[in-house]
Amino acid sequence: MAKLMGGSAGLHHVHVQGAHMQASRPPSLSFRACAQLEISRFCTTPRFMSVKALSASQQHTRHRFSSIRASALPCMQDDTTRYFDFVVIGSGVAGLRYALEVSKHGSVAIITKAEPHESNTNYAQGGVSAVLCPKDSVESHMQDTIVAGAYLCDEETVRIVCTEGPERVKELIAMGASFDHGEDGRLHLAREGGHSHNRIVHSADMTGKEIERALLQAVENDENISVFGHHFAIDLLTCQNNGEIFCYGVDSLDTKAQKVVRFISKVTLLASGGAGHIYPTTTNPPVATGDGIAMCHRAQAVISNMEFVQFHPTALSDEGLPIKPAKTRDNAFLVTEAVRGDGGILYNQSMERFMPLYDDRAELAPRDVVARSIDDQLKKRGEKYVLLDISHKPREKILAHFPNIAAECLLHGLDITQQPIPVVPAAHYMCGGVRAGLQGETSVRGLYVAGEVACTGLHGANRLASNSLLEALVFAQRAVQPSIDHMVDADADPCLAEKWARPVLSVSIRDSALSDIIERTKKTRMELQSIMWEYVGIVRSTNRLKNAEWKIGDLESEWEEFLFRGGWKPATVGIEACEMRNLFCCAKLVVKSALARRESRGLHFTEDFPYLEESKRKPTVIFPTAIQELTWSSKPLQRQLQCK
């Protein structure tokens, strides 16, 4: 916990809107929570109703809580309250891998916003970086990670991830994930920008999809795991005791049945992904609206490094395709880093190679360098995209390595074995998020984070290619044992679930007013995205960031006024408005953090402070108690209880 709140040198002081605050060190993380046991038979939508055989120690744990389980029954009025040992929010690699481990010790609910496969993991093309070649080393992987992260990475975290990563990959293979092999029968290891060795384990250009498939299959076969699809997480359920905050689950909106479902748990893992949709063009799926980061901020968790938004240099530019898509995409189509790792060359539209002008590593420079270089070319030349050419490679190798990209381009009249690919930068990955310790713990007791929603210190100011799936796997595993310890120690008030007020569905608002609210929300969302792209993009300035802060504040006020004038109440929920609420929250966190960093480092480049400053080599950290905002997006729907 000391690392979480203070940690290495430079973490004891924090930036909030440019001001420094002394960080306090809370007590250790061990506690006896007031969470509730699961009653799995009350889950009407999941597939699993029985509990598989448990070890003797696990049976003892279940016997210990049998009286609590029985006493909870009178408190349950209907099927809108569910009890589990563990609740996992998100169905990407982090959430699924964690669920499969903790399910050996108790009941697990996976809450996912859409279909279980719809996650950032499913869209990850490149692969998982891991030291699996004898010529490679942990020290080399560490060095590449730290250099890419502009020396802002936490060295202890980097060592842990690079050391434990290979074992996590082997576990995936043992579970049935299929990765590409070379002619010698060994794993084919690719190379991507920023890496000094071939260390990317991949499945063609659909690695994330293959990992997601294997994990979902394992979840399907696990009788202790219940999956709740189309459940949108609204807010965490918290209470306070002696100055510390405890998490006991989450309220969710069942978007199919149109009802609010409350999940009470002894342990909550948040693995909800990033916030790519604060920008108009992103490689993230539509579900990536920053829900987890916003919920944690409202629950008073510590947030860190939100200024570091990674723009992937090479998303497919529909503008440059011979046949334009029939409709606007929900998310940009990613052209993996591995294309450049495999020899792809970037040209402007005059077919002039430009990357050597910006960096000696040319196309293999880290993503922040490549994205800024492309951005500079586009602005100087007044063009809308650049070209990525891999056609000089043998046709059969291109089609073998990048079948998904080749098929998508061919669908729109472009043959990548003969023609260059039009590409443009797009918002891709949040290197910041909810501040996590070395076991995924947060400043809220009983709440753990893993994956893109977390800020572990691995990525620093810029994520090294293919380190994201690796980090998710490592921290999902590291969060398991402390989560089990919390679960075993849990004590509960059986009627805890009824102590928080219930959110109210938006269907209570008259149809015409609700329709107007939904339309206004869609318009507001596009306006926010436009502000973020224009003022908080790849290249920033203090003046533009301040303009963004002012414009976002005004836009949010106008939107909220429209909502409440139309009959909306503070406890009303609807998916469009709740997503908008989270987008506003995350956008403001990005702007605040960007204004606080008065240097250019990694993904944060500002014209006013264009150089690295050694004295500024510290994370930006936002303690929510220092932010006095009264907007709807910044306050939880339920008041915080006092634990007894």
Side-chain angles (χ1 to χ4, degrees):
M1 181 56 109
K3 176 186 180 296
L4 173 63
M5 304 295 287
S8 59
L11 289 187
H12 300 287
H13 288 82
V14 302
H15 302 290
V16 180
Q17 297 189 40
H20 292 277
M21 295 181 59
Q22 187 68 27
S24 60
R25 294 175 181 267
S28 71
L29 269 181
S30 61
F31 70 99
R32 295 180 66 80
C34 309
Q36 185 53 261
L37 258 217
E38 51 86 18
I39 306 178
S40 60
R41 63 178 177 275
F42 285 92
C43 308
T44 58
T45 53
R47 301 152 287 135
F48 313 117
M49 308 305 286
S50 61
V51 178
K52 66 182 180 183
L54 300 173
S55 67
S57 63
Q58 292 162 0
Q59 289 172 352
H60 172 74
T61 299
R62 285 197 175 279
H63 176 74
R64 174 184 169 190
F65 288 112
S66 60
S67 61
I68 298 176
R69 189 186 300 114
S71 64
L73 289 173
C75 302
M76 297 185 62
Q77 298 176 358
D78 52 36
D79 65 350
T80 60
T81 304
R82 311 192 188 279
Y83 297 79
F84 287 86
D85 294 312
F86 306 92
V87 163
V88 177
I89 304 171
S91 58
V93 60
L96 297 179
R97 192 68 191 91
Y98 172 90
L100 287 164
E101 290 300 314
V102 296
S103 70
K104 300 169 186 174
H105 301 269
S107 59
V108 184
I110 297 177
I111 303 168
T112 186
K113 190 171 173 180
E115 294 296 326
H117 67 267
E118 186 69 0
S119 66
N120 276 351
T121 295
N122 204 45
Y123 290 82
Q125 293 180 350
V128 187
S129 59
V131 177
L132 293 166
C133 173
K135 296 179 181 179
D136 199 0
S137 68
V138 167
E139 288 70 24
S140 176
H141 192 182
M142 285 183 63
Q143 180 66 14
D144 292 345
T145 299
I146 291 168
V147 169
Y151 296 91
L152 194 65
C153 307
D154 181 89
E155 188 171 341
E156 187 177 10
T157 301
V158 175
R159 181 171 295 280
I160 285 169
V161 173
C162 294
T163 302
E164 297 179 7
E167 188 61 31
R168 301 290 83 83
V169 173
K170 291 173 185 176
E171 288 168 355
L172 282 179
I173 294 170
M175 292 173 63
S178 177
F179 298 115
D180 289 354
H181 289 69
E183 294 177 0
D184 58 1
R186 297 179 180 179
L187 282 172
H188 181 268
L189 302 176
R191 184 179 176 187
E192 296 181 356
H195 289 273
S196 57
H197 289 79
N198 286 43
R199 62 167 72 100
I200 313 302
V201 180
H202 63 98
S203 180
D205 58 352
M206 296 173 282
T207 309
K209 185 171 289 188
E210 172 57 20
I211 293 172
E212 185 83 359
R213 181 205 61 77
L215 292 176
L216 282 173
Q217 183 62 56
V219 165
E220 178 74 27
N221 296 331
D222 193 317
E223 294 178 333
N224 281 1
I225 301 176
S226 300
V227 181
F228 294 83
H230 299 279
H231 278 61
F232 172 74
I234 300 167
D235 261 327
L236 299 170
L237 300 170
T238 63
C239 74
Q240 193 175 79
N241 186 20
N242 296 324
E244 292 185 296
I245 300 167
F246 297 76
C247 178
Y248 303 126
V250 65
D251 274 339
S252 73
L253 175 60
D254 181 343
T255 55
K256 290 283 190 183
Q258 279 299 298
K259 64 181 178 181
V260 173
V261 181
R262 175 161 289 172
F263 289 85
I264 298 294
S265 64
K266 288 175 286 206
V267 179
T268 301
L269 177 91
L270 196 58
S272 55
H277 281 270
I278 59 175
Y279 291 94
T281 305
T282 176
T283 61
N284 293 182
V287 293
T289 52
D291 308 322
I293 295 170
M295 284 193 298
C296 283
H297 178 63
R298 292 192 290 266
Q300 299 184 48
V302 178
I303 308 294
S304 187
N305 284 356
M306 287 293 287
E307 70 272 32
F308 298 122
V309 181
Q310 186 174 76
F311 291 85
H312 198 289
T314 56
L316 185 64
S317 171
D318 291 342
E319 183 82 18
L321 291 171
I323 303 171
K324 307 294 185 291
K327 62 176 184 176
T328 304
R329 299 177 193 264
D330 290 329
N331 49 286
F333 183 84
L334 179 67
V335 177
T336 175
E337 189 98 3
V339 174
R340 284 181 286 119
D342 222 30
I345 297 173
L346 284 164
Y347 298 96
N348 57 35
Q349 290 185 37
S350 298
M351 291 307 291
E352 298 166 343
R353 187 182 183 189
F354 58 84
M355 276 309 303
L357 302 174
Y358 295 93
D359 194 284
D360 291 341
R361 294 164 290 186
E363 282 78 13
L364 292 179
R367 290 178 177 178
D368 61 321
V369 175
V370 180
R372 278 197 301 275
S373 303
I374 293 173
D375 183 69
D376 187 57
Q377 283 286 305
L378 297 180
K379 287 174 178 174
K380 282 180 177 176
R381 297 175 58 85
E383 295 173 347
K384 294 186 177 180
Y385 57 87
V386 296
L387 299 167
L388 175 60
D389 191 20
I390 190 72
S391 64
H392 52 280
K393 293 288 182 175
R395 176 185 175 84
E396 61 277 9
K397 287 190 176 180
I398 296 172
L399 296 178
H401 291 179
F402 311 112
N404 190 39
I405 296 169
E408 178 65 23
C409 289
L410 199 58
L411 189 66
H412 299 287
L414 190 144
D415 181 356
I416 69 170
T417 68
Q418 301 290 327
Q419 301 163 276
I421 308 165
V423 293
V424 68
H428 182 60
Y429 190 89
M430 302 294 297
C431 290
V434 183
R435 188 76 176 164
L438 292 176
Q439 293 179 307
E441 73 273 24
T442 72
S443 55
V444 175
R445 302 292 185 89
L447 177 66
Y448 296 81
V449 288
E452 190 175 351
V453 72
C455 180
T456 66
L458 173 69
H459 306 310
N462 177 40
R463 175 174 69 85
L464 180 65
S466 289
N467 265 2
S468 55
L469 292 175
L470 182 72
E471 179 198 38
L473 288 166
V474 169
F475 273 87
Q477 180 63 45
R478 292 186 69 82
V480 169
Q481 190 56 52
S483 296
I484 294 165
D485 294 342
H486 283 314
M487 187 275 292
V488 171
D489 273 346
D491 243 336
D493 170 1
C495 295
L496 180 67
E498 300 311 314
K499 294 189 175 182
W500 288 281
R502 295 269 177 169
V504 180
L505 289 172
S506 58
V507 292
S508 59
I509 300 171
R510 70 182 191 277
D511 289 346
S512 59
L514 183 58
S515 178
D516 289 345
I517 286 171
I518 291 172
E519 283 304 310
R520 178 62 176 264
T521 300
K522 288 178 181 176
K523 181 177 180 240
T524 300
R525 180 167 172 159
M526 289 189 289
E527 289 176 4
L528 174 67
Q529 292 169 334
S530 178
I531 292 168
M532 290 298 292
W533 183 255
E534 177 68 24
Y535 297 97
V536 200
I538 296 171
V539 176
R540 302 162 179 175
S541 72
T542 301
N543 186 52
R544 286 205 294 275
L545 289 171
K546 286 182 176 177
N547 270 328
E549 190 173 44
W550 172 72
K551 287 175 180 291
I552 291 169
D554 275 2
L555 184 64
E556 183 181 27
S557 296
E558 292 168 5
W559 176 69
E560 288 189 6
E561 183 183 342
F562 186 87
L563 255 64
F564 294 120
R565 195 168 62 240
W568 204 269
K569 305 293 182 187
T572 305
V573 293
I575 189 165
E576 295 89 357
C578 285
E579 281 189 334
M580 190 70 247
R581 174 176 179 242
N582 294 334
L583 290 166
F584 268 125
C585 186
C586 289
K588 290 186 295 184
L589 290 171
V590 170
V591 173
K592 287 177 188 297
S593 296
L595 279 168
R597 185 165 295 283
R598 299 170 72 83
E599 63 162 352
S600 287
R601 185 180 294 274
L603 299 164
H604 175 73
F605 183 86
T606 172
E607 294 170 333
D608 297 298
F609 307 99
Y611 304 108
L612 283 173
E613 291 281 350
E614 182 59 25
S615 63
K616 308 289 186 185
R617 187 161 64 90
K618 61 187 77 171
T620 53
V621 184
I622 294 177
F623 288 91
T625 52
I627 301 173
Q628 303 299 322
E629 291 191 79
L630 300 176
T631 63
W632 189 52
S633 70
S634 302
K635 295 186 298 184
L637 296 186
Q638 303 87 359
R639 66 182 179 86
Q640 193 174 87
L641 302 179
Q642 290 297 317
C643 300
K644 293 183 180 179

